[in-house]
Amino acid sequence: MATGEYVSVHSQADSEQVALAQERAELRDDYAGEKRELTEIYVRRGVERDLAGKVAEQLMKHDALGSHARDELGLSVHTRPRPIQAALASAASFSVGAAVPLIVAVLASPTHMMLSIALTSLVCLCGLGSWSARVAGANVVRGAIRVTFWSALAMAVTSAVGAAFGAL
């Protein structure tokens, strides 16, 4: 999980670096055109054309690349990809999440182990779905149902594939 997260987030960082390099080249080769482009962005956002031109000019004098990164590309220092941080967070959350089914596997009777693990996992996932919906300000019940439904479906498909290949 952590490796996949690292690779994915690093690819996003690479894409952003390519976009910034392209923007640097465009600023070097056509500064006036880039000022017009930034002006148009502000006009589309509702700023009067004269004021938009002044804002674009002032922001580009202060930090041309930063202005284009933020307003044209939607990039920000605060939201830049951090592959190592993402990998560590993924590893930690995966490890904590894997602990619950492992504890249930140790405590459950062999006869009811699969059912105990599945039900405990679904209850925990339902709780996490409702908690994440609450944190995001979304409908808690809908969030809980969505996570629980799709998790149960994934478990069922995985079990069916395992049974088809004699793994259960």
Side-chain angles (χ1 to χ4, degrees), residues 85-96:
Q85 182 181 10
L88 292 173
S90 181
S93 62
F94 185 80
S95 299
V96 170

Side-chain angles (χ1 to χ4, degrees), residues 24-69:
R24 253 187 229 97
E26 290 172 359
L27 284 164
R28 182 191 64 235
D29 297 341
D30 186 15
Y31 191 87
E34 289 299 299
K35 180 180 173 267
R36 283 190 303 277
E37 183 178 38
L38 199 56
T39 299
E40 288 304 317
I41 289 169
Y42 298 141
V43 168
R44 283 193 306 273
R45 289 184 183 166
V47 178
E48 293 177 9
R49 183 165 300 283
D50 289 343
L51 181 57
K54 290 177 185 176
V55 169
E57 184 176 335
Q58 287 183 4
L59 287 175
M60 286 180 67
K61 280 182 184 175
H62 174 70
D63 180 10
L65 183 60
S67 299
H68 281 270

